[in-house]
Protein backbone atom coordinates (compact mmCIF):
# COMPACT_ATOMS: atom_id res chain seq x y z
CA UNK A 1 0.00 0.00 0.00
CA UNK A 2 1.22 3.48 -0.85
CA UNK A 3 2.26 5.77 2.00
CA UNK A 4 1.36 9.45 2.15
CA UNK A 5 3.88 11.57 4.01
CA UNK A 6 3.90 15.01 5.59
CA UNK A 7 6.97 17.10 4.79
CA UNK A 8 8.47 19.07 7.67
CA UNK A 9 10.05 22.17 6.15
CA UNK A 10 12.67 23.50 8.56
CA UNK A 11 13.24 26.50 6.33
CA UNK A 12 9.71 27.74 7.00
CA UNK A 13 8.81 26.78 10.59
CA UNK A 14 10.39 26.56 14.03
CA UNK A 15 11.30 23.00 15.10
CA UNK A 16 8.80 23.10 17.98
CA UNK A 17 6.02 24.01 15.55
CA UNK A 18 7.04 21.19 13.20
CA UNK A 19 6.76 18.63 16.01
CA UNK A 20 3.18 19.73 16.62
CA UNK A 21 2.42 19.64 12.90
CA UNK A 22 3.90 16.14 12.56
CA UNK A 23 1.72 14.92 15.41
CA UNK A 24 -1.31 16.58 13.85
CA UNK A 25 -0.50 14.98 10.50
CA UNK A 26 -0.40 11.52 12.06
CA UNK A 27 -3.73 12.13 13.77
CA UNK A 28 -5.20 13.21 10.43
CA UNK A 29 -4.11 9.97 8.74
CA UNK A 30 -0.73 10.72 7.17
CA UNK A 31 1.34 7.56 7.28
CA UNK A 32 4.91 8.88 6.99
CA UNK A 33 7.06 11.97 7.38
CA UNK A 34 10.08 13.59 5.80
CA UNK A 35 12.43 16.36 6.87
CA UNK A 36 14.58 18.88 5.07
CA UNK A 37 18.18 19.36 6.23
CA UNK A 38 19.39 22.92 5.59
CA UNK A 39 21.71 25.33 7.35
CA UNK A 40 20.11 28.34 5.63
CA UNK A 41 16.54 28.84 4.45
CA UNK A 42 16.03 29.26 0.73
CA UNK A 43 14.91 32.88 1.21
CA UNK A 44 14.86 35.47 3.96
CA UNK A 45 11.05 35.42 3.65
CA UNK A 46 11.05 31.84 4.97
CA UNK A 47 13.22 32.86 7.89
CA UNK A 48 13.85 29.62 9.86
CA UNK A 49 16.31 26.73 9.79
CA UNK A 50 16.55 24.34 12.73
CA UNK A 51 18.98 21.40 12.91
CA UNK A 52 17.26 18.43 11.30
CA UNK A 53 19.11 15.67 13.17
CA UNK A 54 18.11 16.94 16.61
CA UNK A 55 14.55 17.31 15.38
CA UNK A 56 14.37 13.82 13.84
CA UNK A 57 14.98 12.11 17.16
CA UNK A 58 12.21 14.18 18.74
CA UNK A 59 9.81 13.57 15.84
CA UNK A 60 10.36 9.80 15.87
CA UNK A 61 9.70 9.78 19.62
CA UNK A 62 6.67 12.09 19.40
CA UNK A 63 4.97 10.06 16.64
CA UNK A 64 4.91 6.49 15.38
CA UNK A 65 5.55 7.56 11.79
CA UNK A 66 8.55 6.48 9.74
CA UNK A 67 10.75 9.44 8.79
CA UNK A 68 13.33 10.19 6.14
CA UNK A 69 15.73 13.06 5.57
CA UNK A 70 17.59 14.42 2.55
CA UNK A 71 21.25 14.87 3.37
CA UNK A 72 24.41 15.94 1.51
CA UNK A 73 27.44 14.22 3.05
CA UNK A 74 30.93 15.22 1.99
CA UNK A 75 31.37 18.91 2.80
CA UNK A 76 29.22 20.37 5.60
CA UNK A 77 28.86 16.85 7.02
CA UNK A 78 31.61 14.25 7.28
CA UNK A 79 30.27 10.85 6.12
CA UNK A 80 31.40 9.10 9.34
CA UNK A 81 29.27 11.51 11.37
CA UNK A 82 26.24 10.89 9.15
CA UNK A 83 26.84 7.14 9.44
CA UNK A 84 26.83 7.47 13.24
CA UNK A 85 23.80 9.77 13.33
CA UNK A 86 21.72 7.53 11.06
CA UNK A 87 22.82 4.37 12.88
CA UNK A 88 21.77 5.88 16.20
CA UNK A 89 18.29 6.78 14.95
CA UNK A 90 17.89 3.36 13.32
CA UNK A 91 18.92 1.59 16.53
CA UNK A 92 16.41 3.57 18.62
CA UNK A 93 13.59 3.40 16.07
CA UNK A 94 14.00 0.14 14.10
CA UNK A 95 12.87 0.25 10.46
CA UNK A 96 11.39 3.73 10.89
CA UNK A 97 14.23 5.82 9.47
CA UNK A 98 15.67 6.18 5.97
CA UNK A 99 18.10 8.63 4.44
CA UNK A 100 18.30 10.11 0.95
CA UNK A 101 21.65 11.49 -0.14
CA UNK A 102 22.44 14.10 -2.76
CA UNK A 103 25.22 16.44 -3.76
CA UNK A 104 23.73 19.45 -1.98
CA UNK A 105 23.57 23.18 -2.65
CA UNK A 106 26.26 25.78 -2.10
CA UNK A 107 23.61 27.69 -0.10
CA UNK A 108 24.29 25.28 2.76
CA UNK A 109 27.67 23.72 2.01
CA UNK A 110 29.78 26.85 1.54
CA UNK A 111 29.61 27.70 5.26
CA UNK A 112 32.67 25.53 5.99
CA UNK A 113 34.77 27.71 3.69
CA UNK A 114 35.67 24.87 1.36
CA UNK A 115 35.70 25.02 -2.42
CA UNK A 116 32.37 24.21 -4.09
CA UNK A 117 33.24 21.49 -6.62
CA UNK A 118 31.76 21.00 -10.07
CA UNK A 119 28.86 18.56 -10.37
CA UNK A 120 30.94 15.64 -11.63
CA UNK A 121 33.28 15.90 -8.65
CA UNK A 122 30.36 16.25 -6.24
CA UNK A 123 28.88 13.06 -7.69
CA UNK A 124 32.14 11.20 -7.19
CA UNK A 125 32.45 12.54 -3.64
CA UNK A 126 28.89 11.48 -2.84
CA UNK A 127 29.55 7.92 -4.00
CA UNK A 128 32.68 7.78 -1.82
CA UNK A 129 30.60 8.96 1.15
CA UNK A 130 27.98 6.27 0.57
CA UNK A 131 30.69 3.60 0.42
CA UNK A 132 32.16 4.89 3.70
CA UNK A 133 28.75 4.93 5.39
CA UNK A 134 27.94 1.39 4.31
CA UNK A 135 31.34 0.10 5.41
CA UNK A 136 30.88 1.66 8.85
CA UNK A 137 27.39 0.17 9.15
CA UNK A 138 28.92 -3.21 8.31
CA UNK A 139 31.22 -2.91 11.33
CA UNK A 140 34.42 -2.26 9.42
CA UNK A 141 37.24 -0.05 10.65
CA UNK A 142 37.52 2.47 7.86
CA UNK A 143 40.58 4.37 6.69
CA UNK A 144 40.05 6.08 3.37
CA UNK A 145 41.73 8.88 1.47
CA UNK A 146 40.05 10.25 -1.61
CA UNK A 147 37.73 13.19 -2.08
CA UNK A 148 36.86 12.56 1.57
CA UNK A 149 39.28 11.40 4.26
CA UNK A 150 38.52 8.93 7.04
CA UNK A 151 41.06 7.77 9.60
CA UNK A 152 40.50 4.56 11.63
CA UNK A 153 36.76 5.10 12.13
CA UNK A 154 34.61 2.33 13.60
CA UNK A 155 30.98 2.46 14.74
CA UNK A 156 30.39 0.69 18.03
CA UNK A 157 26.62 1.28 18.08
CA UNK A 158 24.92 -0.10 15.01
CA UNK A 159 21.30 -1.01 14.27
CA UNK A 160 20.14 -4.56 13.74
CA UNK A 161 18.75 -3.47 10.34
CA UNK A 162 20.51 -0.71 8.44
CA UNK A 163 18.51 2.20 7.03
CA UNK A 164 17.86 2.32 3.31
CA UNK A 165 19.97 4.84 1.41
CA UNK A 166 17.99 6.54 -1.36
CA UNK A 167 19.61 8.51 -4.14
CA UNK A 168 18.19 12.01 -4.50
CA UNK A 169 17.81 12.91 -8.17
CA UNK A 170 15.96 15.63 -10.08
CA UNK A 171 17.20 14.93 -13.63
CA UNK A 172 17.02 11.72 -15.62
CA UNK A 173 20.82 11.70 -15.95
CA UNK A 174 21.32 11.67 -12.18
CA UNK A 175 18.47 9.18 -11.71
CA UNK A 176 20.14 6.72 -14.08
CA UNK A 177 23.41 7.07 -12.17
CA UNK A 178 21.90 6.50 -8.71
CA UNK A 179 19.98 3.48 -10.00
CA UNK A 180 23.27 1.60 -10.00
CA UNK A 181 24.15 2.07 -6.29
CA UNK A 182 21.21 3.43 -4.29
CA UNK A 183 18.63 1.33 -2.44
CA UNK A 184 15.89 3.48 -3.97
CA UNK A 185 15.05 6.78 -5.68
CA UNK A 186 13.88 10.04 -4.14
CA UNK A 187 12.79 12.72 -6.59
CA UNK A 188 10.49 15.74 -6.74
CA UNK A 189 7.29 16.49 -8.60
CA UNK A 190 7.57 17.99 -12.07
CA UNK A 191 5.52 17.78 -15.28
CA UNK A 192 4.41 14.18 -15.64
CA UNK A 193 6.30 13.47 -18.88
CA UNK A 194 9.56 14.72 -17.38
CA UNK A 195 8.94 12.71 -14.22
CA UNK A 196 8.30 9.59 -16.28
CA UNK A 197 11.70 10.11 -17.91
CA UNK A 198 13.31 10.25 -14.44
CA UNK A 199 11.58 7.01 -13.42
CA UNK A 200 12.53 5.24 -16.64
CA UNK A 201 16.15 6.38 -16.31
CA UNK A 202 16.35 5.14 -12.72
CA UNK A 203 15.07 1.72 -13.74
CA UNK A 204 17.36 1.65 -16.78
CA UNK A 205 20.36 2.41 -14.54
CA UNK A 206 19.70 -0.55 -12.24
CA UNK A 207 16.69 0.56 -10.21
CA UNK A 208 14.21 -2.07 -11.37
CA UNK A 209 12.38 -3.43 -8.32
CA UNK A 210 13.79 -0.77 -5.97
CA UNK A 211 11.43 1.57 -4.08
CA UNK A 212 10.74 5.07 -5.40
CA UNK A 213 9.68 8.02 -3.25
CA UNK A 214 8.33 11.35 -4.51
CA UNK A 215 8.24 14.75 -2.81
CA UNK A 216 5.22 16.62 -4.14
CA UNK A 217 5.25 20.42 -4.06
CA UNK A 218 1.73 21.83 -3.74
CA UNK A 219 -0.11 24.82 -2.39
CA UNK A 220 -3.56 24.42 -0.88
CA UNK A 221 -5.61 27.26 0.55
CA UNK A 222 -9.10 28.48 1.34
CA UNK A 223 -9.27 29.95 -2.17
CA UNK A 224 -7.21 29.57 -5.33
CA UNK A 225 -5.96 33.13 -4.80
CA UNK A 226 -4.84 32.32 -1.24
CA UNK A 227 -3.01 29.23 -2.47
CA UNK A 228 -1.35 31.17 -5.29
CA UNK A 229 -0.26 34.03 -3.10
CA UNK A 230 1.08 31.69 -0.41
CA UNK A 231 3.12 29.75 -2.97
CA UNK A 232 4.42 32.96 -4.52
CA UNK A 233 5.50 34.43 -1.17
CA UNK A 234 7.19 31.27 0.12
CA UNK A 235 8.38 29.26 -2.87
CA UNK A 236 8.89 31.45 -5.94
CA UNK A 237 12.68 31.27 -5.59
CA UNK A 238 12.61 27.46 -5.70
CA UNK A 239 11.23 26.94 -9.20
CA UNK A 240 14.49 27.45 -11.10
CA UNK A 241 16.42 24.61 -12.79
CA UNK A 242 18.44 22.48 -10.41
CA UNK A 243 21.74 23.66 -11.90
CA UNK A 244 20.85 27.17 -10.73
CA UNK A 245 19.44 26.16 -7.35
CA UNK A 246 22.69 24.42 -6.46
CA UNK A 247 24.88 27.44 -7.24
CA UNK A 248 23.29 30.46 -5.52
CA UNK A 249 25.10 31.13 -2.25
CA UNK A 250 22.80 33.07 0.08
CA UNK A 251 19.09 33.51 0.89
CA UNK A 252 19.47 37.10 -0.29
CA UNK A 253 20.53 35.89 -3.74
CA UNK A 254 17.49 33.63 -3.88
CA UNK A 255 15.38 36.66 -2.89
CA UNK A 256 16.76 38.61 -5.84
CA UNK A 257 16.18 35.73 -8.25
CA UNK A 258 12.63 35.36 -6.96
CA UNK A 259 11.85 38.96 -7.84
CA UNK A 260 12.04 37.92 -11.51
CA UNK A 261 9.32 35.28 -11.10
CA UNK A 262 5.61 35.85 -11.72
CA UNK A 263 2.58 33.94 -10.44
CA UNK A 264 2.12 32.00 -13.66
CA UNK A 265 5.65 30.57 -13.46
CA UNK A 266 5.04 29.35 -9.90
CA UNK A 267 1.80 27.74 -11.07
CA UNK A 268 3.77 25.69 -13.61
CA UNK A 269 6.03 24.16 -10.94
CA UNK A 270 3.74 23.87 -7.89
CA UNK A 271 0.33 22.19 -7.83
CA UNK A 272 -1.85 25.13 -6.77
CA UNK A 273 -5.54 24.62 -6.06
CA UNK A 274 -8.20 25.10 -3.38
CA UNK A 275 -10.04 22.05 -4.75
CA UNK A 276 -9.18 18.84 -2.88
CA UNK A 277 -10.51 16.76 -5.78
CA UNK A 278 -8.01 18.41 -8.13
CA UNK A 279 -5.21 17.49 -5.74
CA UNK A 280 -6.47 13.90 -5.65
CA UNK A 281 -6.35 13.77 -9.45
CA UNK A 282 -2.79 15.11 -9.56
CA UNK A 283 -1.61 12.68 -6.89
CA UNK A 284 -3.26 9.70 -8.61
CA UNK A 285 -1.07 10.40 -11.66
CA UNK A 286 2.02 10.03 -9.48
CA UNK A 287 0.66 6.94 -7.77
CA UNK A 288 0.24 5.28 -11.17
CA UNK A 289 3.95 5.81 -11.95
CA UNK A 290 4.80 3.33 -9.21
CA UNK A 291 5.88 5.52 -6.29
CA UNK A 292 5.59 3.83 -2.90
CA UNK A 293 5.63 7.10 -0.95
CA UNK A 294 4.16 10.47 -1.86
CA UNK A 295 5.38 13.01 0.66
CA UNK A 296 3.35 16.20 0.46
CA UNK A 297 4.92 19.60 0.96
CA UNK A 298 2.33 22.34 1.24
CA UNK A 299 4.65 25.21 0.43
CA UNK A 300 2.52 27.98 1.95
CA UNK A 301 2.22 28.70 5.67
CA UNK A 302 -1.36 27.43 6.15
CA UNK A 303 -0.36 24.01 7.42
CA UNK A 304 -3.23 23.11 9.75
CA UNK A 305 -5.92 23.73 7.12
CA UNK A 306 -3.93 21.60 4.70
CA UNK A 307 -3.49 18.77 7.23
CA UNK A 308 -7.14 18.75 8.28
CA UNK A 309 -8.66 18.98 4.81
CA UNK A 310 -6.29 16.50 3.19
CA UNK A 311 -6.82 14.11 6.09
CA UNK A 312 -10.56 14.27 5.54
CA UNK A 313 -10.78 14.34 1.74
CA UNK A 314 -7.48 13.45 0.03
CA UNK A 315 -5.84 10.67 2.03
CA UNK A 316 -8.90 8.35 1.99
CA UNK A 317 -8.97 8.58 -1.81
CA UNK A 318 -5.29 7.63 -2.09
CA UNK A 319 -4.87 5.06 0.66
CA UNK A 320 -7.58 2.69 -0.56
Amino acid sequence: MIKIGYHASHEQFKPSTLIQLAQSAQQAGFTAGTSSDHFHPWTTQQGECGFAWSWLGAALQATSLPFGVVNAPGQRYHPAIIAQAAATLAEMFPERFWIAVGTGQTLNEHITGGRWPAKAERNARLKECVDVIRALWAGETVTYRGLVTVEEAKLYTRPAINPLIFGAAVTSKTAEWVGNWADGLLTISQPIDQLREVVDAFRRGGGVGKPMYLKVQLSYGKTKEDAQQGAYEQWRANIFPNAMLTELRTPEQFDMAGELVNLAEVDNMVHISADVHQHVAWLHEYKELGFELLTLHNVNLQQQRFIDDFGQHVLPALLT
Side-chain angles (χ1 to χ4, degrees):
M1 181 181 294
I2 194 169
K3 293 177 180 169
I4 307 297
Y6 174 76
H7 180 69
S9 177
H10 287 277
E11 306 94 313
Q12 295 175 279
F13 299 97
K14 294 184 183 300
S16 55
T17 300
L18 287 175
I19 288 291
Q20 296 169 0
L21 291 171
Q23 291 173 318
S24 182
Q26 179 173 345
Q27 292 167 4
F30 285 79
T31 54
T34 60
S35 170
S36 58
D37 182 6
H38 273 222
F39 190 88
H40 292 136
W42 292 104
T43 69
T44 58
Q45 182 74 24
Q46 292 172 350
E48 297 289 344
C49 228
F51 184 54
W53 291 90
S54 299
W55 185 86
L56 282 162
L60 286 159
Q61 179 65 31
T63 71
S64 60
L65 300 175
F67 270 89
V69 67
V70 185
N71 178 261
Q75 189 156 334
R76 177 170 48 121
Y77 290 115
H78 192 281
I81 299 302
I82 294 304
Q84 184 185 37
T88 297
L89 289 175
E91 194 283 329
M92 291 191 294
F93 306 102
E95 298 186 80
R96 287 181 54 205
F97 175 73
W98 54 269
I99 182 171
V101 294
T103 57
Q105 303 91 19
T106 189
L107 172 71
N108 300 304
E109 308 308 317
H110 83 272
I111 63 167
T112 61
R115 176 180 63 89
W116 181 238
K119 183 65 163 65
E121 185 177 336
R122 299 201 310 271
N123 281 354
R125 182 175 68 181
L126 177 63
K127 182 57 170 59
E128 290 182 12
C129 289
V130 170
D131 291 343
V132 166
I133 290 168
R134 285 179 167 151
L136 289 167
W137 287 351
E140 298 177 22
T141 299
V142 178
T143 294
Y144 180 84
R145 293 178 181 86
L147 295 172
V148 294
T149 300
V150 186
E151 187 76 27
E152 295 181 344
K154 180 179 175 66
L155 284 184
Y156 284 84
T157 295
R158 303 191 307 276
I161 300 175
N162 292 332
L164 294 178
I165 300 179
F166 285 72
V170 175
T171 67
S172 57
K173 181 178 180 180
T174 301
E176 184 171 1
W177 173 63
V178 303
N180 182 54
W181 54 262
D183 296 322
L185 170 71
L186 175 70
T187 189
I188 63 171
S189 56
Q190 51 186 307
I192 198 71
D193 289 341
Q194 295 177 32
L195 186 59
R196 187 175 288 109
E197 291 177 4
V198 171
V199 169
D200 290 344
F202 175 68
R203 289 171 173 161
R204 185 170 62 248
V208 173
K210 296 179 180 180
M212 299 187 300
Y213 292 175
L214 179 70
K215 178 177 179 282
V216 181
Q217 299 180 152
L218 61 93
S219 186
Y220 173 75
K222 184 177 181 180
T223 66
K224 173 71 177 288
E225 291 72 25
D226 287 341
Q228 280 184 317
Q229 191 60 37
Y232 182 75
E233 290 174 355
Q234 287 288 304
W235 216 249
R236 66 180 181 268
N238 296 66
I239 68 168
F240 299 107
N242 194 56
M244 179 176 173
L245 294 177
T246 59
E247 298 299 326
L248 296 180
R249 292 175 59 85
T250 67
E252 290 79 10
Q253 289 180 351
F254 277 91
D255 286 339
M256 288 186 285
E259 292 301 319
L260 305 175
V261 176
N262 60 41
L263 278 172
E265 291 170 311
V266 177
D267 213 356
N268 287 334
M269 298 301 294
V270 178
H271 289 311
I272 301 175
S273 179
D275 182 355
V276 291
H277 302 293
Q278 177 62 75
H279 284 286
V280 169
W282 282 325
L283 294 169
H284 264 301
E285 288 187 343
Y286 297 138
K287 184 177 178 180
E288 290 170 1
L289 283 180
F291 289 99
E292 296 184 15
L293 168 68
L294 303 179
T295 183
L296 310 185
H297 180 194
N298 183 45
V299 302
N300 66 58
L301 298 181
Q302 303 304 312
Q303 297 298 296
Q304 197 60 57
R305 177 187 294 276
F306 157 70
I307 289 169
D308 292 342
D309 289 0
F310 271 55
Q312 184 175 357
H313 301 290
V314 176
L315 301 188
L318 295 170
L319 295 173
T320 56

